[in-house]
Amino acid sequence: MKSITKFITLIAFTFAALSFTTVDKEKKEISETNSNITWKGYKVTGSHAGTIKIKSGHLDFDKGRLTGGAFTVDMTSINVTDLSGGSKTQLEGHLKSDDFFGVANHPTAQLTLTKVKASGENSYEATGDITIKGKTEVITFTIAVFKDKANASLKIDRTKFGVKYGSSSFFDGLKDKAINDEFDLVAELKFK
């Protein structure tokens, strides 16, 4: 009888302790409409810039510290912002074609954070798996989180995902038609 009383007391104490325990883990959803992703690609004779929309995403926190997250980007939303008219339409179509991102067969790209390490106040070194055109590579970048926002800058080597069009790493004699292998992405994320 004494052991049953001790067992019941232990169970009651456990339930009481759990009822007052705060949840330290938090998943913050990204606002698709209030977040911005800009891209910039470089070529020998200049550069082009634009935007792309985030389809969904979240960041994970534990006791206020970033621990992970995942994002899906809508590749069909590739937009060129430094051109207008026919030139804009032509470049957007080319970027969406199989020469570049093949959005008909690969309408989304994904990024899943696999490791996050604090690198300063509100700043983290994040490593993750990025999937573009069905190919997955590891990428490391810096992300800063402050209140209801997060900012990240990524440099992506497109050739690792089979996007070789205009790359002097694969084609000789391109001269001033060469396009840099790397392009920049800057994400300004706002939480819901």
Side-chain angles (χ1 to χ4, degrees):
M1 183 72 165
K2 201 174 193 182
S3 61
I4 292 175
T5 305
K6 283 183 180 179
F7 179 71
I8 292 172
T9 303
L10 179 63
I11 296 290
F13 179 76
T14 302
F15 280 122
L18 289 175
S19 66
F20 292 107
T21 303
T22 59
V23 178
D24 292 330
K25 295 188 179 195
E26 185 178 12
K27 179 178 181 178
K28 293 186 179 181
E29 298 291 332
I30 301 299
S31 169
E32 297 85 8
T33 54
N34 296 316
S35 298
N36 298 306
I37 300 176
T38 57
W39 60 265
K40 190 166 188 177
Y42 304 90
K43 56 185 182 174
V44 173
T45 57
S47 63
H48 287 294
T51 61
I52 191 163
K53 293 181 181 177
I54 190 162
K55 189 170 184 177
S56 64
H58 69 272
L59 288 174
D60 299 322
F61 295 85
D62 189 358
K63 297 179 184 170
R65 296 180 69 85
L66 180 65
T67 58
F71 304 90
T72 299
V73 174
D74 179 3
M75 297 300 286
T76 66
S77 72
I78 294 172
N79 178 40
V80 175
T81 57
D82 67 323
L83 296 174
S84 60
S87 298
K88 171 184 169 71
T89 303
Q90 183 178 9
L91 182 54
E92 287 174 353
H94 197 197
L95 291 173
K96 292 176 184 179
S97 77
D98 288 337
D99 282 346
F100 283 92
F101 298 105
V103 301
N105 294 318
H106 306 282
T108 60
Q110 289 81 31
L111 172 63
T112 302
L113 303 183
T114 56
K115 181 180 174 187
V116 180
K117 178 179 151 187
S119 58
E121 188 176 348
N122 303 319
S123 182
Y124 301 88
E125 180 181 87
T127 300
D129 294 330
I130 186 168
T131 303
I132 300 173
K133 282 187 90 170
K135 295 180 190 268
T136 302
E137 292 288 333
V138 174
I139 190 168
T140 299
F141 60 95
T142 300
I143 184 168
V145 180
F146 187 73
K147 294 185 180 177
D148 64 344
K149 295 179 185 176
N151 296 315
S153 295
L154 295 80
K155 192 168 279 295
I156 299 171
D157 183 345
R158 64 190 175 93
T159 63
K160 289 183 177 181
F161 304 95
V163 183
K164 299 177 182 177
Y165 182 89
S167 170
S168 59
S169 299
F170 294 91
F171 303 102
D172 294 328
L174 293 173
K175 298 182 184 175
D176 66 349
K177 303 280 187 211
I179 301 169
N180 288 19
D181 292 347
E182 292 183 327
F183 66 94
D184 297 327
L185 279 183
V186 176
E188 296 175 352
L189 308 173
K190 180 126 169 109
F191 303 128
K192 290 184 180 176

